[in-house]
Amino acid sequence: MTESYVFKKSVTKRMLETATVLGARGTSASASEVKHKWGIYTQTFLDVTPYLGKAVWRIPRDLCEQMSIKYPTFVLGIMQEVNLEDLTALYIVTEVQDSGELLEKIQHPSLVDLWPIKYFSDDTNIRDEEFSSGLANCLDQMRFFYQHLWMPWDRDENCNDWVDKHLESRIKFYNDLETKAISKRLSSHIVTLLDEAKYLQSQRRRLERDLRQGAQVEEFTDSSCLPFLSTMSVLLEIHLRLYSIKNDMAFLENRLKRSSFEKKIFSEDIQGFAGHVIAEVKNLAVTPVGTVQEQIDYLERVQELVYEMPIRSYDSLQTALERCEINDKIYLPNGEHPIKFSGYLGYGSITAVNSMEFATTKFTSHAILTESAKEISVVSSRDDASVVLTIDGDYCIENIFLNCANAEVGVNNYIYILKIEIFLYQRCIS
């Protein structure tokens, strides 16, 4: 009884729908008017009936983090009012699905995160069903626009005619991604950039809201200035990163420039990743920091895994990831291995050479980190990384503790993993 509406539409239909909404009444919307245009379009459905009905709320990741709840979390509830200025709804929570989370009864989710559910003959009449499907179609159009066509930096540009400048190129870009016209490796890179940009934009909005609230205070003591300055520095970093992503996307949206961009970031690995040329498998060992005897003991254990095959040594996992090719095998010692996003893992493996086998342990993730930290290999993201690992292929991650506490995404995109023996640890999951 909670089935939501699904709309299968062609790219041409998507473009016409968006052009109709943003070009309504004979005028094309500027970037600053886009939200207002969607509000006007939504109003046409709200005028039909005051009863909005039931909807599933899929709480986005950044909001789950703010609310300190598990991601993903799905909620059943009733839409009672719509704020057309903010494109949000007054939402009454009735049930939290598949989760023990407790939420406040009254919420104000974004309309794009709401999926109206289908009506059935035993609880409504045909008029309600027609309205529900119409509202669901409206939200589907809005959701497609904000998820695939609208970029976080569009509002800052405030171009006078968003439709003429961006609609056709963004639709073609979306179609290239969906139809696999772009190589899988470059597609992974694009999706990761977009995910990071949207996450940074949500953090930016939250921090700017905090600053506006702080600006109402006329005087700051020396101690109260510190959070303000810290927020300003984080905002500056977000602005710089968004600016960098925006410049990259300007090349990636352009079909003529895209191939040059791909050659630059992936160099000679492109052919191998596409499957035309598969390089010889190499073994890479990350050596531990310790005494000579400790390193000898570690390399002897690696030798048991690689036999007489040649091996290359690196001082960190970050360096090994930067130097490895599509199907190389990486071996890790015990300890913490912080990394930041540096590329895509295809058909190789990362194996921890340690004494603890996660497949047989009954410890919780917290107990492993606190009681057995010296016996395990922990891969974590650095503070400025939004993705720990991006995988595109049959990749093996064996006996690794993947700590996602500082990351937005643990493992991202095109995942076909043959064997996984890992522990995932996220700050939003107890």
Side-chain angles (χ1 to χ4, degrees), residues 13 34 39 54 58 78 140 153 178 187 220 227 239 246 285 329 352 356 371 382 405:
K13 183 174 178 60
V34 164
K54 301 176 183 178
R58 302 181 186 181
I78 300 173
D140 173 76
W153 46 82
E178 288 295 301
S187 295
F220 291 93
H239 277 284
K246 173 187 173 182
K329 297 181 178 180
M356 177 177 288
E371 300 173 13
R382 295 179 181 172

PDB file of all heavy atoms in Angstrom, residues 13 34 39 54 58 78 140 153 178 187 220 227 239 246 285 329 352 356 371 382 405:
ATOM      1  N   LYS A  13      11.299  14.299 -24.099  1.00  0.00           N
ATOM      2  CA  LYS A  13      10.156  14.701 -23.278  1.00  0.00           C
ATOM      3  C   LYS A  13      10.624  15.459 -22.039  1.00  0.00           C
ATOM      4  O   LYS A  13      10.011  16.454 -21.639  1.00  0.00           O
ATOM      5  CB  LYS A  13       9.333  13.480 -22.879  1.00  0.00           C
ATOM      6  CG  LYS A  13       8.076  13.819 -22.083  1.00  0.00           C
ATOM      7  CD  LYS A  13       7.219  12.596 -21.847  1.00  0.00           C
ATOM      8  CE  LYS A  13       5.982  12.929 -21.019  1.00  0.00           C
ATOM      9  NZ  LYS A  13       5.125  13.929 -21.682  1.00  0.00           N
ATOM     10  N   VAL A  34      14.401  30.641 -11.300  1.00  0.00           N
ATOM     11  CA  VAL A  34      14.091  29.239 -11.543  1.00  0.00           C
ATOM     12  C   VAL A  34      13.201  28.660 -10.446  1.00  0.00           C
ATOM     13  O   VAL A  34      12.186  28.012 -10.718  1.00  0.00           O
ATOM     14  CB  VAL A  34      15.392  28.422 -11.684  1.00  0.00           C
ATOM     15  CG1 VAL A  34      15.119  26.934 -11.542  1.00  0.00           C
ATOM     16  CG2 VAL A  34      16.056  28.710 -13.016  1.00  0.00           C
ATOM     17  N   GLY A  39       7.712  26.983  -8.419  1.00  0.00           N
ATOM     18  CA  GLY A  39       6.627  27.242  -7.476  1.00  0.00           C
ATOM     19  C   GLY A  39       5.313  27.525  -8.190  1.00  0.00           C
ATOM     20  O   GLY A  39       4.240  27.038  -7.783  1.00  0.00           O
ATOM     21  N   LYS A  54      -0.632  11.222   1.037  1.00  0.00           N
ATOM     22  CA  LYS A  54       0.512  10.551   1.652  1.00  0.00           C
ATOM     23  C   LYS A  54       1.714  10.561   0.709  1.00  0.00           C
ATOM     24  O   LYS A  54       1.581  10.610  -0.505  1.00  0.00           O
ATOM     25  CB  LYS A  54       0.143   9.105   1.984  1.00  0.00           C
ATOM     26  CG  LYS A  54      -1.040   8.966   2.922  1.00  0.00           C
ATOM     27  CD  LYS A  54      -1.413   7.500   3.126  1.00  0.00           C
ATOM     28  CE  LYS A  54      -2.640   7.353   4.015  1.00  0.00           C
ATOM     29  NZ  LYS A  54      -3.037   5.932   4.176  1.00  0.00           N
ATOM     30  N   ARG A  58      12.340  10.348   1.440  1.00  0.00           N
ATOM     31  CA  ARG A  58      13.668   9.730   1.447  1.00  0.00           C
ATOM     32  C   ARG A  58      14.648  10.792   1.952  1.00  0.00           C
ATOM     33  O   ARG A  58      15.031  11.697   1.215  1.00  0.00           O
ATOM     34  CB  ARG A  58      14.036   9.255   0.048  1.00  0.00           C
ATOM     35  CG  ARG A  58      13.037   8.262  -0.530  1.00  0.00           C
ATOM     36  CD  ARG A  58      13.445   7.798  -1.915  1.00  0.00           C
ATOM     37  NE  ARG A  58      12.418   6.956  -2.503  1.00  0.00           N
ATOM     38  CZ  ARG A  58      12.505   6.381  -3.707  1.00  0.00           C
ATOM     39  NH1 ARG A  58      13.602   6.582  -4.434  1.00  0.00           N
ATOM     40  NH2 ARG A  58      11.529   5.644  -4.181  1.00  0.00           N
ATOM     41  N   ILE A  78       2.284  12.409   5.816  1.00  0.00           N
ATOM     42  CA  ILE A  78       1.229  13.119   5.092  1.00  0.00           C
ATOM     43  C   ILE A  78       1.690  14.542   4.808  1.00  0.00           C
ATOM     44  O   ILE A  78       2.137  15.250   5.710  1.00  0.00           O
ATOM     45  CB  ILE A  78      -0.078  13.141   5.909  1.00  0.00           C
ATOM     46  CG1 ILE A  78      -0.553  11.710   6.192  1.00  0.00           C
ATOM     47  CG2 ILE A  78      -1.166  13.921   5.165  1.00  0.00           C
ATOM     48  CD1 ILE A  78      -1.730  11.646   7.141  1.00  0.00           C
ATOM     49  N   ASP A 140       8.194  14.732  -9.917  1.00  0.00           N
ATOM     50  CA  ASP A 140       9.162  13.987 -10.715  1.00  0.00           C
ATOM     51  C   ASP A 140       9.914  14.918 -11.658  1.00  0.00           C
ATOM     52  O   ASP A 140      11.137  14.815 -11.808  1.00  0.00           O
ATOM     53  CB  ASP A 140       8.436  12.900 -11.519  1.00  0.00           C
ATOM     54  CG  ASP A 140       9.359  12.205 -12.506  1.00  0.00           C
ATOM     55  OD1 ASP A 140      10.171  11.376 -12.069  1.00  0.00           O
ATOM     56  OD2 ASP A 140       9.261  12.508 -13.720  1.00  0.00           O
ATOM     57  N   TRP A 153      26.363  25.812  -8.676  1.00  0.00           N
ATOM     58  CA  TRP A 153      26.877  27.161  -8.921  1.00  0.00           C
ATOM     59  C   TRP A 153      25.990  27.987  -9.853  1.00  0.00           C
ATOM     60  O   TRP A 153      26.297  29.140 -10.131  1.00  0.00           O
ATOM     61  CB  TRP A 153      28.281  27.068  -9.514  1.00  0.00           C
ATOM     62  CG  TRP A 153      28.383  26.061 -10.612  1.00  0.00           C
ATOM     63  CD1 TRP A 153      28.045  26.212 -11.931  1.00  0.00           C
ATOM     64  CD2 TRP A 153      28.829  24.714 -10.462  1.00  0.00           C
ATOM     65  NE1 TRP A 153      28.248  25.050 -12.615  1.00  0.00           N
ATOM     66  CE2 TRP A 153      28.744  24.112 -11.752  1.00  0.00           C
ATOM     67  CE3 TRP A 153      29.308  23.959  -9.402  1.00  0.00           C
ATOM     68  CZ2 TRP A 153      29.108  22.783 -11.979  1.00  0.00           C
ATOM     69  CZ3 TRP A 153      29.661  22.650  -9.634  1.00  0.00           C
ATOM     70  CH2 TRP A 153      29.567  22.072 -10.899  1.00  0.00           C
ATOM     71  N   GLU A 178      23.812   8.501 -19.323  1.00  0.00           N
ATOM     72  CA  GLU A 178      22.837   7.419 -19.218  1.00  0.00           C
ATOM     73  C   GLU A 178      23.025   6.361 -20.303  1.00  0.00           C
ATOM     74  O   GLU A 178      22.793   5.179 -20.059  1.00  0.00           O
ATOM     75  CB  GLU A 178      21.419   7.990 -19.302  1.00  0.00           C
ATOM     76  CG  GLU A 178      20.988   8.770 -18.073  1.00  0.00           C
ATOM     77  CD  GLU A 178      20.883   7.886 -16.844  1.00  0.00           C
ATOM     78  OE1 GLU A 178      20.100   6.923 -16.876  1.00  0.00           O
ATOM     79  OE2 GLU A 178      21.621   8.138 -15.872  1.00  0.00           O
ATOM     80  N   SER A 187      32.874   8.467 -16.520  1.00  0.00           N
ATOM     81  CA  SER A 187      31.541   8.605 -15.921  1.00  0.00           C
ATOM     82  C   SER A 187      31.628   8.564 -14.404  1.00  0.00           C
ATOM     83  O   SER A 187      30.963   9.340 -13.708  1.00  0.00           O
ATOM     84  CB  SER A 187      30.620   7.481 -16.417  1.00  0.00           C
ATOM     85  OG  SER A 187      30.383   7.580 -17.799  1.00  0.00           O
ATOM     86  N   PHE A 220      31.111  40.350  19.672  1.00  0.00           N
ATOM     87  CA  PHE A 220      31.650  39.026  19.958  1.00  0.00           C
ATOM     88  C   PHE A 220      32.756  39.162  21.001  1.00  0.00           C
ATOM     89  O   PHE A 220      33.591  40.050  20.908  1.00  0.00           O
ATOM     90  CB  PHE A 220      32.250  38.386  18.694  1.00  0.00           C
ATOM     91  CG  PHE A 220      31.231  38.007  17.663  1.00  0.00           C
ATOM     92  CD1 PHE A 220      30.897  38.887  16.632  1.00  0.00           C
ATOM     93  CD2 PHE A 220      30.610  36.774  17.722  1.00  0.00           C
ATOM     94  CE1 PHE A 220      29.974  38.529  15.677  1.00  0.00           C
ATOM     95  CE2 PHE A 220      29.687  36.409  16.765  1.00  0.00           C
ATOM     96  CZ  PHE A 220      29.367  37.289  15.743  1.00  0.00           C
ATOM     97  N   PRO A 227      34.569  30.350  16.782  1.00  0.00           N
ATOM     98  CA  PRO A 227      33.703  29.574  15.894  1.00  0.00           C
ATOM     99  C   PRO A 227      33.360  30.344  14.628  1.00  0.00           C
ATOM    100  O   PRO A 227      33.251  29.768  13.556  1.00  0.00           O
ATOM    101  CB  PRO A 227      32.465  29.302  16.755  1.00  0.00           C
ATOM    102  CG  PRO A 227      32.922  29.455  18.157  1.00  0.00           C
ATOM    103  CD  PRO A 227      33.966  30.516  18.118  1.00  0.00           C
ATOM    104  N   HIS A 239      34.045  27.230  -1.097  1.00  0.00           N
ATOM    105  CA  HIS A 239      33.954  28.063  -2.300  1.00  0.00           C
ATOM    106  C   HIS A 239      35.060  27.716  -3.295  1.00  0.00           C
ATOM    107  O   HIS A 239      34.808  27.614  -4.505  1.00  0.00           O
ATOM    108  CB  HIS A 239      34.032  29.548  -1.921  1.00  0.00           C
ATOM    109  CG  HIS A 239      32.724  30.123  -1.472  1.00  0.00           C
ATOM    110  ND1 HIS A 239      31.714  30.442  -2.342  1.00  0.00           N
ATOM    111  CD2 HIS A 239      32.258  30.427  -0.235  1.00  0.00           C
ATOM    112  CE1 HIS A 239      30.684  30.933  -1.678  1.00  0.00           C
ATOM    113  NE2 HIS A 239      30.985  30.922  -0.388  1.00  0.00           N
ATOM    114  N   LYS A 246      33.487  23.357 -10.717  1.00  0.00           N
ATOM    115  CA  LYS A 246      32.773  24.071 -11.777  1.00  0.00           C
ATOM    116  C   LYS A 246      33.629  24.170 -13.036  1.00  0.00           C
ATOM    117  O   LYS A 246      33.137  23.946 -14.151  1.00  0.00           O
ATOM    118  CB  LYS A 246      32.392  25.471 -11.277  1.00  0.00           C
ATOM    119  CG  LYS A 246      31.790  26.364 -12.347  1.00  0.00           C
ATOM    120  CD  LYS A 246      31.601  27.770 -11.823  1.00  0.00           C
ATOM    121  CE  LYS A 246      31.168  28.713 -12.933  1.00  0.00           C
ATOM    122  NZ  LYS A 246      31.027  30.110 -12.447  1.00  0.00           N
ATOM    123  N   ALA A 285      53.333  -3.367  -2.334  1.00  0.00           N
ATOM    124  CA  ALA A 285      53.280  -3.537  -0.881  1.00  0.00           C
ATOM    125  C   ALA A 285      53.514  -2.196  -0.200  1.00  0.00           C
ATOM    126  O   ALA A 285      54.483  -1.503  -0.493  1.00  0.00           O
ATOM    127  CB  ALA A 285      54.322  -4.542  -0.409  1.00  0.00           C
ATOM    128  N   LYS A 329      47.601  -5.442  -7.578  1.00  0.00           N
ATOM    129  CA  LYS A 329      47.232  -5.921  -6.248  1.00  0.00           C
ATOM    130  C   LYS A 329      48.044  -5.165  -5.197  1.00  0.00           C
ATOM    131  O   LYS A 329      49.260  -5.072  -5.293  1.00  0.00           O
ATOM    132  CB  LYS A 329      47.488  -7.431  -6.126  1.00  0.00           C
ATOM    133  CG  LYS A 329      46.643  -8.260  -7.080  1.00  0.00           C
ATOM    134  CD  LYS A 329      46.922  -9.749  -6.900  1.00  0.00           C
ATOM    135  CE  LYS A 329      46.035 -10.576  -7.827  1.00  0.00           C
ATOM    136  NZ  LYS A 329      46.289 -12.037  -7.668  1.00  0.00           N
ATOM    137  N   ALA A 352      44.596  -6.809   3.277  1.00  0.00           N
ATOM    138  CA  ALA A 352      45.290  -6.503   4.527  1.00  0.00           C
ATOM    139  C   ALA A 352      46.085  -7.723   4.977  1.00  0.00           C
ATOM    140  O   ALA A 352      45.555  -8.839   5.035  1.00  0.00           O
ATOM    141  CB  ALA A 352      44.287  -6.100   5.595  1.00  0.00           C
ATOM    142  N   MET A 356      44.001 -10.439  12.163  1.00  0.00           N
ATOM    143  CA  MET A 356      42.570 -10.548  12.470  1.00  0.00           C
ATOM    144  C   MET A 356      41.770 -10.803  11.207  1.00  0.00           C
ATOM    145  O   MET A 356      41.887 -10.075  10.230  1.00  0.00           O
ATOM    146  CB  MET A 356      42.063  -9.280  13.169  1.00  0.00           C
ATOM    147  CG  MET A 356      40.556  -9.317  13.443  1.00  0.00           C
ATOM    148  SD  MET A 356      39.971  -7.873  14.350  1.00  0.00           S
ATOM    149  CE  MET A 356      40.646  -8.226  15.961  1.00  0.00           C
ATOM    150  N   GLU A 371      39.688  -1.878  20.797  1.00  0.00           N
ATOM    151  CA  GLU A 371      40.383  -2.973  21.454  1.00  0.00           C
ATOM    152  C   GLU A 371      41.405  -3.678  20.563  1.00  0.00           C
ATOM    153  O   GLU A 371      42.347  -4.291  21.061  1.00  0.00           O
ATOM    154  CB  GLU A 371      39.366  -4.008  21.957  1.00  0.00           C
ATOM    155  CG  GLU A 371      38.362  -3.435  22.959  1.00  0.00           C
ATOM    156  CD  GLU A 371      37.275  -4.431  23.314  1.00  0.00           C
ATOM    157  OE1 GLU A 371      37.449  -5.617  22.978  1.00  0.00           O
ATOM    158  OE2 GLU A 371      36.260  -4.026  23.897  1.00  0.00           O
ATOM    159  N   ARG A 382      40.792  11.374   4.350  1.00  0.00           N
ATOM    160  CA  ARG A 382      41.262  12.597   4.967  1.00  0.00           C
ATOM    161  C   ARG A 382      40.095  13.551   5.108  1.00  0.00           C
ATOM    162  O   ARG A 382      39.039  13.375   4.500  1.00  0.00           O
ATOM    163  CB  ARG A 382      42.365  13.218   4.104  1.00  0.00           C
ATOM    164  CG  ARG A 382      43.611  12.334   4.027  1.00  0.00           C
ATOM    165  CD  ARG A 382      44.679  12.965   3.156  1.00  0.00           C
ATOM    166  NE  ARG A 382      45.845  12.096   3.082  1.00  0.00           N
ATOM    167  CZ  ARG A 382      46.869  12.306   2.266  1.00  0.00           C
ATOM    168  NH1 ARG A 382      46.869  13.346   1.455  1.00  0.00           N
ATOM    169  NH2 ARG A 382      47.894  11.475   2.251  1.00  0.00           N
ATOM    170  N   ALA A 405      34.104   7.773   8.646  1.00  0.00           N
ATOM    171  CA  ALA A 405      33.667   8.821   9.567  1.00  0.00           C
ATOM    172  C   ALA A 405      33.834  10.214   8.983  1.00  0.00           C
ATOM    173  O   ALA A 405      33.052  11.109   9.277  1.00  0.00           O
ATOM    174  CB  ALA A 405      34.441   8.708  10.882  1.00  0.00           C
TER     175      ALA A 405
END
